[in-house]
Amino acid sequence: MLAFLLADTPINECEEDYVVVPVIGEFYCALTSLGMTAVLAFLGFRALSSRARRVALAGSSAALCSVLYHVTLTRGALFLDQFMLVALGGAMLGRPWLCFFGIAALADYRLGALAYAPTLLLGIRVLLQRVSQRSAKSTSFVAAQ
């Protein structure tokens, strides 16, 4: 099992491997994920509501797993990356137990994508609905005054 997790991933999707820095698989993907980790961690610690804090910190954790994957390009890191994307979707939906669907990524990365894509899309939809409802409430409150 350990040999399977440490093996190279069967996909090469982002950029040429080990070109910019010889020890980092996909340098620019790792760099952007590292930036997202920092921004989301900062937002998570500054968030006022517990739900916003959970979503931001789940996003930061998912971005950190993405850094690990893009640096190492191993199957284990790809599994963690996809698992955390499902967990992020679950946090956005207010259903963290959905992260267990991310275990499908252990069997095949395509199953992992099948698990995280709908949860992330639904999570984004729910967050956008909440934001638009709040802005509509604040607009009606200001208009009433």
Side-chain angles (χ1 to χ4, degrees):
M1 181 68 167
L2 185 61
F4 173 78
L5 293 175
L6 294 177
D8 288 341
T9 58
I11 55 175
N12 188 355
E13 65 203 28
C14 296
E15 60 189 85
E16 290 186 50
D17 298 343
Y18 305 102
V19 173
V20 178
V21 177
V23 293
I24 296 177
E26 297 172 340
F27 179 77
Y28 295 109
C29 290
L31 189 62
T32 56
S33 294
L34 188 61
M36 288 301 297
T37 302
V39 168
L40 289 169
F42 175 76
L43 292 175
F45 290 117
R46 303 259 316 165
L48 299 178
S49 75
S50 61
R51 182 174 181 158
R53 191 174 308 113
R54 274 193 314 270
V55 169
L57 293 178
S60 179
S61 299
L64 190 59
C65 288
S66 180
V67 170
L68 177 68
Y69 167 63
H70 290 293
V71 167
T72 64
L73 298 178
T74 61
R75 287 179 189 246
L78 177 62
F79 164 71
L80 280 176
D81 185 21
Q82 291 185 333
F83 182 83
M84 286 307 298
L85 287 173
V86 177
L88 172 59
M92 288 190 286
L93 290 168
R95 294 182 174 51
W97 55 267
L98 286 173
C99 71
F100 292 111
F101 287 112
I103 294 174
L106 194 55
D108 191 325
Y109 69 94
R110 291 172 288 243
L111 290 175
L114 190 62
Y116 75 75
T119 56
L120 282 177
L121 292 173
L122 288 172
I124 291 168
R125 182 175 177 249
V126 166
L127 286 180
L128 290 175
Q129 285 176 341
R130 289 176 61 95
V131 168
S132 66
Q133 288 171 354
R134 283 191 181 170
S135 76
K137 284 180 185 177
S138 66
T139 304
S140 65
F141 177 74
V142 171
Q145 289 184 353

